[in-house]
Coordinates of all heavy atoms in Angstrom, one line a residue:
M1 N 108.5 123.6 93.8 CA 107.3 124.1 94.4 C 106.9 123.2 95.6 O 107.2 122.0 95.6 CB 106.1 124.1 93.5 CG 105.0 125.1 94.0 SD 103.6 125.3 92.8 CE 104.2 125.0 91.2
N2 N 106.4 123.8 96.7 CA 106.1 123.1 97.9 C 104.6 122.9 98.0 O 103.8 123.7 97.5 CB 106.7 123.7 99.1 CG 108.2 123.7 99.1 OD1 108.8 122.8 98.6 ND2 108.8 124.8 99.6
C3 N 104.2 122.0 98.9 CA 102.7 121.7 99.1 C 102.1 122.9 99.8 O 102.6 123.4 100.8 CB 102.6 120.5 99.9 SG 100.8 120.2 100.4
Y4 N 101.0 123.4 99.2 CA 100.3 124.5 99.8 C 99.7 124.2 101.1 O 99.7 125.0 102.1 CB 99.2 125.0 98.8 CG 98.4 126.2 99.3 CD1 98.9 127.4 99.3 CD2 97.1 126.0 99.8 CE1 98.2 128.5 99.7 CE2 96.4 127.0 100.2 CZ 96.9 128.3 100.2 OH 96.2 129.3 100.7
D5 N 99.0 123.0 101.2 CA 98.4 122.6 102.5 C 99.4 122.4 103.6 O 99.1 122.8 104.7 CB 97.5 121.4 102.3 CG 96.2 121.7 101.5 OD1 95.8 122.9 101.6 OD2 95.7 120.8 100.8
C6 N 100.5 121.8 103.3 CA 101.6 121.6 104.3 C 102.1 123.0 104.7 O 102.4 123.2 105.9 CB 102.7 120.7 103.7 SG 102.3 119.0 103.7
D7 N 102.3 123.9 103.8 CA 102.8 125.2 104.1 C 101.9 125.9 105.1 O 102.4 126.6 106.0 CB 103.0 126.0 102.8 CG 103.6 127.4 103.1 OD1 104.8 127.4 103.5 OD2 103.0 128.4 103.0
R8 N 100.6 125.7 105.0 CA 99.6 126.3 105.9 C 99.8 125.8 107.3 O 99.3 126.4 108.3 CB 98.2 126.2 105.4 CG 98.0 127.0 104.1 CD 96.6 126.8 103.6 NE 95.6 127.3 104.5 CZ 94.3 127.2 104.4 NH1 93.8 126.4 103.4 NH2 93.5 127.7 105.2
E9 N 100.3 124.5 107.4 CA 100.6 123.9 108.7 C 102.0 124.1 109.1 O 102.5 123.3 110.0 CB 100.2 122.4 108.6 CG 98.8 122.1 108.2 CD 98.6 120.7 107.8 OE1 99.5 119.9 107.9 OE2 97.4 120.4 107.4
D10 N 102.7 125.1 108.5 CA 104.1 125.4 108.9 C 105.0 124.2 108.6 O 106.0 124.0 109.3 CB 104.2 125.9 110.3 CG 103.6 127.2 110.5 OD1 103.6 128.0 109.6 OD2 103.0 127.5 111.6
R11 N 104.7 123.4 107.6 CA 105.6 122.4 107.1 C 106.0 122.6 105.7 O 105.3 123.2 104.9 CB 104.9 121.0 107.2 CG 104.6 120.5 108.6 CD 104.1 119.1 108.6 NE 102.8 119.0 107.9 CZ 102.4 117.8 107.4 NH1 103.1 116.8 107.4 NH2 101.2 117.8 106.8
T12 N 107.2 122.2 105.4 CA 107.7 122.4 104.0 C 107.9 121.0 103.4 O 108.8 120.3 103.7 CB 109.1 123.1 104.0 OG1 108.8 124.4 104.6 CG2 109.6 123.4 102.6
V13 N 107.0 120.7 102.5 CA 107.1 119.4 101.8 C 107.0 119.6 100.3 O 106.1 120.4 99.8 CB 105.9 118.5 102.2 CG1 105.8 117.1 101.5 CG2 105.9 118.3 103.7
P14 N 107.9 119.0 99.5 CA 107.9 119.2 98.1 C 106.5 118.7 97.5 O 106.0 117.6 97.9 CB 109.0 118.3 97.5 CG 109.9 118.1 98.7 CD 109.0 118.1 99.9
A15 N 106.0 119.4 96.6 CA 104.7 119.1 95.9 C 105.0 118.0 94.8 O 106.0 118.0 94.2 CB 104.1 120.3 95.3
T16 N 104.0 117.1 94.7 CA 104.1 116.1 93.7 C 103.0 116.2 92.7 O 103.0 115.4 91.7 CB 104.0 114.7 94.3 OG1 102.8 114.6 95.1 CG2 105.2 114.4 95.2
A17 N 102.0 117.1 92.9 CA 100.9 117.2 92.0 C 100.3 118.6 92.1 O 100.7 119.3 93.0 CB 99.8 116.1 92.3
V18 N 99.4 118.9 91.2 CA 98.7 120.2 91.2 C 97.2 119.9 91.1 O 96.8 119.1 90.3 CB 99.2 121.0 89.9 CG1 98.3 122.3 89.8 CG2 100.6 121.4 90.0
C19 N 96.5 120.6 92.0 CA 95.1 120.4 92.0 C 94.4 120.9 90.7 O 94.7 122.0 90.3 CB 94.5 121.2 93.2 SG 92.7 121.2 93.2
R20 N 93.6 120.0 90.2 CA 93.0 120.3 88.9 C 92.0 121.5 89.0 O 91.7 122.2 88.1 CB 92.3 119.1 88.4 CG 91.3 119.3 87.3 CD 91.9 118.8 86.0 NE 91.0 119.1 84.9 CZ 90.3 118.3 84.2 NH1 90.4 117.0 84.5 NH2 89.5 118.7 83.2
H21 N 91.4 121.6 90.2 CA 90.4 122.6 90.4 C 90.9 123.9 90.8 O 90.6 124.9 90.1 CB 89.4 122.0 91.5 CG 88.1 122.8 91.6 ND1 87.1 122.5 90.8 CD2 87.8 123.8 92.4 CE1 86.1 123.4 91.1 NE2 86.5 124.2 92.1
C22 N 91.7 124.1 91.8 CA 92.1 125.4 92.3 C 93.6 125.7 91.9 O 94.0 126.9 92.0 CB 92.0 125.5 93.8 SG 93.1 124.5 94.8
G23 N 94.3 124.7 91.4 CA 95.7 125.0 91.0 C 96.7 125.0 92.1 O 97.9 125.3 91.8
A24 N 96.3 124.6 93.3 CA 97.3 124.6 94.4 C 98.2 123.4 94.2 O 97.8 122.3 93.8 CB 96.6 124.5 95.7
A25 N 99.5 123.5 94.5 CA 100.5 122.4 94.5 C 100.3 121.6 95.8 O 100.2 122.2 96.9 CB 101.9 123.0 94.4
V26 N 100.2 120.3 95.7 CA 100.0 119.5 96.8 C 101.0 118.3 96.8 O 101.5 117.9 95.8 CB 98.6 118.9 96.9 CG1 97.6 120.0 97.2 CG2 98.2 118.3 95.5
C27 N 101.3 117.8 98.1 CA 102.1 116.7 98.2 C 101.3 115.4 98.1 O 100.0 115.5 97.9 CB 102.8 116.7 99.6 SG 101.6 116.4 101.0
T28 N 101.9 114.2 98.1 CA 101.2 113.0 97.9 C 100.1 112.8 99.0 O 99.0 112.3 98.8 CB 102.2 111.8 97.9 OG1 103.1 112.0 96.9 CG2 101.5 110.5 97.6
E29 N 100.5 113.3 100.2 CA 99.5 113.1 101.3 C 98.3 113.9 101.1 O 97.2 113.5 101.5 CB 100.2 113.6 102.6 CG 99.4 113.4 103.9 CD 100.1 114.1 105.1 OE1 101.3 114.2 105.1 OE2 99.3 114.4 106.0
H30 N 98.4 115.1 100.5 CA 97.2 116.0 100.4 C 96.6 115.8 99.0 O 95.5 116.4 98.8 CB 97.7 117.4 100.6 CG 97.9 117.8 102.0 ND1 99.1 118.2 102.5 CD2 97.0 117.8 103.1 CE1 98.9 118.4 103.8 NE2 97.7 118.2 104.2
A31 N 97.2 115.0 98.1 CA 96.6 114.9 96.8 C 95.5 113.7 96.8 O 95.7 112.7 97.5 CB 97.6 114.5 95.8
H32 N 94.4 113.9 96.1 CA 93.4 112.9 96.0 C 93.2 112.6 94.5 O 92.8 113.5 93.8 CB 92.1 113.4 96.6 CG 92.2 113.6 98.1 ND1 91.8 112.7 99.0 CD2 92.6 114.7 98.8 CE1 92.0 113.1 100.2 NE2 92.5 114.4 100.1
A33 N 93.6 111.4 94.2 CA 93.5 111.0 92.8 C 92.2 110.2 92.5 O 91.9 109.3 93.2 CB 94.6 110.1 92.4
T34 N 91.4 110.7 91.6 CA 90.1 110.0 91.3 C 90.1 109.8 89.7 O 91.1 110.2 89.1 CB 88.9 110.9 91.7 OG1 89.0 112.2 91.0 CG2 88.8 111.1 93.2
T35 N 89.1 109.2 89.3 CA 89.0 109.0 87.8 C 87.9 109.9 87.2 O 87.0 110.3 87.9 CB 88.7 107.5 87.5 OG1 87.5 107.2 88.2 CG2 89.9 106.6 87.9
E36 N 88.0 110.1 86.0 CA 87.1 111.0 85.3 C 86.9 110.4 83.9 O 87.9 110.2 83.2 CB 87.7 112.4 85.2 CG 86.8 113.4 84.5 CD 87.5 114.8 84.6 OE1 88.6 114.9 84.0 OE2 86.9 115.7 85.2
L37 N 85.7 110.2 83.5 CA 85.4 109.7 82.1 C 85.7 110.9 81.1 O 85.4 112.0 81.4 CB 84.0 109.3 82.0 CG 83.6 108.0 82.8 CD1 82.1 107.7 82.7 CD2 84.5 106.8 82.3
V38 N 86.3 110.5 80.0 CA 86.6 111.4 79.0 C 85.5 111.4 77.9 O 85.1 110.3 77.4 CB 87.9 111.1 78.3 CG1 88.3 112.1 77.2 CG2 89.0 111.0 79.3
T39 N 84.9 112.5 77.7 CA 83.8 112.6 76.7 C 84.3 113.5 75.5 O 85.1 114.4 75.6 CB 82.6 113.3 77.3 OG1 82.9 114.5 77.8 CG2 82.0 112.4 78.4
R40 N 83.7 113.2 74.4 CA 84.0 113.9 73.1 C 82.7 114.7 72.7 O 81.6 114.3 73.1 CB 84.3 113.0 72.0 CG 85.7 112.4 72.0 CD 85.8 111.5 70.9 NE 87.1 110.9 70.7 CZ 87.4 109.7 70.1 NH1 86.4 109.0 69.7 NH2 88.6 109.3 70.0
N41 N 83.0 115.7 71.9 CA 81.8 116.4 71.4 C 81.1 115.4 70.4 O 81.7 114.5 69.9 CB 82.3 117.6 70.6 CG 82.8 118.7 71.6 OD1 82.3 118.7 72.7 ND2 83.7 119.5 71.1
A42 N 79.8 115.7 70.2 CA 79.1 114.8 69.3 C 79.7 114.8 67.9 O 80.2 115.8 67.4 CB 77.6 115.3 69.2
G43 N 79.5 113.6 67.3 CA 80.0 113.5 65.9 C 81.4 113.1 65.7 O 81.9 113.1 64.6
L44 N 82.1 112.7 66.8 CA 83.5 112.3 66.6 C 83.7 110.9 67.1 O 84.7 110.5 67.6 CB 84.4 113.2 67.5 CG 84.4 114.7 67.1 CD1 85.2 115.5 68.1 CD2 85.0 114.9 65.7
G45 N 82.7 110.0 66.8 CA 82.8 108.6 67.2 C 82.2 108.4 68.6 O 81.2 108.9 68.9
L46 N 82.9 107.6 69.4 CA 82.4 107.3 70.7 C 82.2 108.6 71.5 O 83.1 109.5 71.6 CB 83.4 106.5 71.5 CG 83.3 104.9 71.3 CD1 84.5 104.3 72.0 CD2 82.0 104.4 71.7
A47 N 81.0 108.7 72.2 CA 80.8 109.9 73.0 C 81.6 109.9 74.3 O 82.1 110.9 74.7 CB 79.3 110.0 73.3
T48 N 81.6 108.7 74.9 CA 82.4 108.5 76.1 C 83.5 107.4 75.9 O 83.1 106.3 75.5 CB 81.5 108.1 77.3 OG1 80.4 109.0 77.5 CG2 82.3 107.9 78.6
L49 N 84.7 107.8 76.1 CA 85.8 106.9 75.8 C 85.9 105.8 76.9 O 85.5 106.1 78.1 CB 87.1 107.6 75.7 CG 87.1 108.7 74.7 CD1 88.5 109.4 74.5 CD2 86.6 108.2 73.3
P50 N 86.3 104.6 76.5 CA 86.3 103.5 77.5 C 87.2 103.6 78.7 O 86.8 103.1 79.8 CB 86.7 102.3 76.6 CG 87.3 102.8 75.4 CD 86.8 104.2 75.2
L51 N 88.3 104.2 78.6 CA 89.2 104.3 79.7 C 89.1 105.6 80.4 O 89.0 106.7 79.8 CB 90.7 104.1 79.3 CG 91.1 102.8 78.7 CD1 92.5 102.8 78.2 CD2 90.9 101.7 79.8
P52 N 89.0 105.6 81.8 CA 88.9 106.8 82.5 C 90.2 107.5 82.6 O 91.3 106.9 82.6 CB 88.4 106.4 83.9 CG 88.9 105.0 84.1 CD 88.9 104.4 82.7
A53 N 90.2 108.8 82.7 CA 91.4 109.6 82.9 C 91.6 109.9 84.4 O 90.7 109.7 85.2 CB 91.3 111.0 82.2
R54 N 92.8 110.3 84.7 CA 93.1 110.6 86.1 C 92.8 112.1 86.4 O 93.0 112.9 85.6 CB 94.6 110.3 86.4 CG 95.0 110.6 87.9 CD 96.3 110.0 88.2 NE 97.4 110.6 87.3 CZ 98.6 110.1 87.2 NH1 98.9 109.1 87.9 NH2 99.5 110.7 86.4
R55 N 92.4 112.3 87.6 CA 92.0 113.7 88.0 C 92.5 113.8 89.5 O 92.1 113.1 90.4 CB 90.5 113.8 88.0 CG 90.0 115.2 88.3 CD 88.5 115.3 88.0 NE 88.0 116.6 88.0 CZ 87.7 117.4 89.0 NH1 87.9 116.9 90.2 NH2 87.3 118.6 88.9
I56 N 93.4 114.8 89.7 CA 94.0 115.0 91.0 C 93.5 116.3 91.6 O 93.5 117.3 90.9 CB 95.5 115.0 90.9 CG1 96.0 113.6 90.5 CG2 96.1 115.4 92.3 CD1 97.5 113.4 90.5
T57 N 93.0 116.3 92.8 CA 92.6 117.5 93.5 C 93.2 117.6 94.9 O 93.7 116.6 95.4 CB 91.0 117.5 93.6 OG1 90.6 116.3 94.3 CG2 90.3 117.6 92.3
C58 N 93.2 118.8 95.4 CA 93.7 118.9 96.8 C 92.6 118.5 97.8 O 91.5 118.2 97.4 CB 94.1 120.4 97.0 SG 92.7 121.5 97.1
T59 N 93.0 118.4 99.1 CA 92.0 118.0 100.1 C 90.8 118.9 100.1 O 89.6 118.4 100.2 CB 92.7 118.0 101.5 OG1 93.8 117.1 101.4 CG2 91.7 117.4 102.5
T60 N 91.0 120.2 100.0 CA 89.9 121.1 100.1 C 88.9 120.9 99.0 O 87.7 120.8 99.2 CB 90.4 122.6 100.1 OG1 91.3 122.8 101.2 CG2 89.3 123.6 100.2
C61 N 89.4 120.8 97.8 CA 88.5 120.7 96.6 C 87.9 119.3 96.6 O 86.8 119.1 96.2 CB 89.3 120.9 95.3 SG 89.9 122.7 95.2
Y62 N 88.7 118.3 97.0 CA 88.1 116.9 97.1 C 86.9 116.9 98.1 O 85.9 116.4 97.7 CB 89.2 115.9 97.6 CG 88.7 114.5 97.7 CD1 88.7 113.7 96.5 CD2 88.2 114.0 98.9 CE1 88.2 112.4 96.6 CE2 87.7 112.7 99.0 CZ 87.7 111.9 97.8 OH 87.3 110.6 97.9
D63 N 87.1 117.5 99.2 CA 86.0 117.5 100.2 C 84.8 118.3 99.7 O 83.7 118.0 99.9 CB 86.5 118.2 101.5 CG 87.4 117.2 102.3 OD1 87.5 116.0 101.9 OD2 88.1 117.7 103.2
A64 N 85.1 119.4 99.0 CA 84.0 120.2 98.4 C 83.2 119.5 97.4 O 82.0 119.5 97.4 CB 84.6 121.5 97.8
E65 N 84.0 118.8 96.5 CA 83.3 118.0 95.5 C 82.5 116.9 96.0 O 81.6 116.4 95.3 CB 84.3 117.6 94.4 CG 84.9 118.7 93.6 CD 86.0 118.2 92.7 OE1 86.3 117.0 92.7 OE2 86.5 119.1 91.9
H66 N 82.9 116.4 97.2 CA 82.2 115.2 97.7 C 81.3 115.6 99.0 O 80.9 114.8 99.7 CB 83.2 114.1 98.1 CG 83.9 113.5 96.9 ND1 84.9 114.1 96.3 CD2 83.6 112.4 96.2 CE1 85.3 113.4 95.3 NE2 84.5 112.4 95.2
S67 N 81.1 116.9 99.2 CA 80.4 117.3 100.4 C 78.9 116.9 100.3 O 78.3 116.9 101.4 CB 80.5 118.9 100.5 OG 80.0 119.5 99.4
G68 N 78.4 116.6 99.2 CA 77.0 116.1 99.1 C 76.9 114.7 99.4 O 75.8 114.2 99.6
N69 N 78.0 113.9 99.5 CA 77.9 112.5 99.8 C 78.3 112.2 101.2 O 79.2 112.8 101.8 CB 78.9 111.8 98.8 CG 78.6 112.0 97.4 OD1 77.4 112.3 97.0 ND2 79.6 111.9 96.5
R70 N 77.7 111.2 101.7 CA 78.0 110.8 103.1 C 79.0 109.7 103.2 O 79.5 109.3 104.2 CB 76.7 110.3 103.8 CG 75.8 111.5 104.1 CD 76.4 112.4 105.2 NE 76.1 113.8 105.0 CZ 77.0 114.7 105.2 NH1 78.2 114.5 105.6 NH2 76.7 116.0 104.9
T71 N 79.4 109.1 102.1 CA 80.4 108.0 102.1 C 81.8 108.5 101.7 O 81.9 109.6 101.3 CB 80.0 106.9 101.1 OG1 80.1 107.4 99.8 CG2 78.6 106.4 101.4
T72 N 82.8 107.7 102.0 CA 84.1 108.2 101.6 C 84.6 107.5 100.4 O 85.8 107.5 100.1 CB 85.1 107.8 102.8 OG1 85.0 106.4 103.1 CG2 84.8 108.6 104.0
S73 N 83.7 107.0 99.6 CA 84.1 106.3 98.4 C 84.8 107.3 97.4 O 84.4 108.5 97.3 CB 82.9 105.7 97.7 OG 83.2 105.3 96.4
T74 N 85.8 106.9 96.7 CA 86.5 107.8 95.8 C 85.9 107.6 94.4 O 86.3 108.3 93.5 CB 88.0 107.4 95.7 OG1 88.2 106.1 95.4 CG2 88.7 107.8 97.0
A75 N 85.0 106.6 94.2 CA 84.4 106.4 92.9 C 83.4 107.5 92.6 O 82.7 108.0 93.5 CB 83.8 105.1 92.8
P76 N 83.3 107.9 91.4 CA 82.2 108.9 91.0 C 80.8 108.3 91.3 O 80.6 107.1 91.1 CB 82.4 109.1 89.5 CG 83.7 108.5 89.2 CD 84.1 107.5 90.2
R77 N 80.0 109.1 91.9 CA 78.6 108.5 92.2 C 77.6 109.1 91.3 O 77.7 110.2 90.8 CB 78.3 108.9 93.7 CG 79.3 108.3 94.6 CD 79.0 108.8 96.0 NE 77.7 108.4 96.5 CZ 77.4 107.2 97.0 NH1 78.4 106.3 97.2 NH2 76.2 107.0 97.4
P78 N 76.5 108.4 91.1 CA 75.4 108.9 90.2 C 74.8 110.1 90.9 O 74.8 110.3 92.1 CB 74.4 107.7 90.1 CG 74.8 106.8 91.2 CD 76.2 107.0 91.6
R79 N 74.3 111.0 90.0 CA 73.7 112.2 90.5 C 72.4 112.0 91.4 O 72.2 112.7 92.3 CB 73.4 113.2 89.4 CG 74.6 113.9 89.0 CD 74.4 114.8 87.9 NE 75.8 115.2 87.4 CZ 76.2 116.4 87.4 NH1 75.4 117.4 87.7 NH2 77.4 116.6 87.0
H80 N 71.6 111.1 90.9 CA 70.4 110.9 91.7 C 70.3 109.4 91.9 O 70.5 108.6 91.0 CB 69.2 111.4 91.0 CG 69.0 111.0 89.6 ND1 68.4 109.8 89.3 CD2 69.5 111.6 88.5 CE1 68.4 109.7 88.0 NE2 69.1 110.7 87.5
R81 N 69.9 109.0 93.1 CA 69.8 107.6 93.4 C 68.4 107.3 93.8 O 67.9 107.7 94.9 CB 70.8 107.2 94.6 CG 72.2 107.3 94.2 CD 73.1 107.1 95.3 NE 72.9 108.1 96.4 CZ 73.2 107.9 97.7 NH1 73.7 106.7 98.0 NH2 72.9 108.8 98.5
P82 N 67.7 106.6 93.0 CA 66.3 106.2 93.3 C 66.1 105.5 94.6 O 65.1 105.5 95.2 CB 65.9 105.4 92.1 CG 66.8 105.7 91.0 CD 68.1 106.1 91.7
A83 N 67.2 104.7 95.0 CA 67.1 104.0 96.2 C 66.8 104.9 97.4 O 66.2 104.5 98.4 CB 68.4 103.2 96.4
D84 N 67.3 106.1 97.4 CA 67.1 107.0 98.5 C 65.6 107.4 98.7 O 65.2 107.7 99.8 CB 67.9 108.3 98.3 CG 69.4 108.1 98.6 OD1 69.7 107.0 99.1 OD2 70.1 109.0 98.3
L85 N 64.9 107.4 97.6 CA 63.5 107.8 97.6 C 62.6 106.6 97.9 O 61.4 106.8 98.1 CB 63.1 108.4 96.3 CG 64.0 109.6 95.8 CD1 63.7 110.0 94.4 CD2 63.9 110.7 96.8
A86 N 63.1 105.4 97.9 CA 62.3 104.2 98.1 C 62.1 103.9 99.6 O 61.5 102.9 99.9 CB 62.8 103.1 97.3
G87 N 62.6 104.6 100.5 CA 62.6 104.3 101.9 C 61.1 104.4 102.5 O 60.8 103.6 103.3
D88 N 60.4 105.3 102.0 CA 59.0 105.5 102.6 C 58.0 105.0 101.6 O 57.5 105.7 100.8 CB 58.8 107.0 102.8 CG 57.5 107.3 103.6 OD1 57.0 106.4 104.2 OD2 57.1 108.4 103.5
R89 N 57.7 103.7 101.8 CA 56.8 103.0 100.9 C 55.4 102.9 101.5 O 55.3 102.6 102.7 CB 57.3 101.6 100.5 CG 58.0 101.6 99.2 CD 58.4 100.2 98.8 NE 59.8 100.2 98.5 CZ 60.6 99.2 98.7 NH1 60.2 98.1 99.1 NH2 61.9 99.3 98.4
R90 N 54.4 103.2 100.7 CA 53.1 103.0 101.2 C 52.3 102.1 100.3 O 52.4 102.2 99.2 CB 52.3 104.3 101.3 CG 53.1 105.2 102.3 CD 52.2 106.3 102.8 NE 53.1 107.1 103.7 CZ 52.6 107.9 104.6 NH1 51.3 108.1 104.6 NH2 53.3 108.5 105.4
Ligands
ZN101 ZN1 100.9 118.4 101.9
ZN102 ZN1 92.1 122.5 95.0

């Protein structure tokens, strides 16, 4: 299988990963590897396991998942940041 994003740019590059979100095959250049905490259903011991799992997405899905953030950090960010609301103090 070849990289979907490269194919759209009229290039043929062997794919090295598959996007977890949309299922597109992507090359190393277009793959974005992030980490994801593994959680278990209640009642099976630890709710959140100590080691994060790998999660690979294509460029489109990576951008979409991070479109709410203004930084380029690959680390998962908290959903709400109280620091953002502390700017206007009276
Ligand atoms: Zn590619
Ligand atoms: Zn994707």
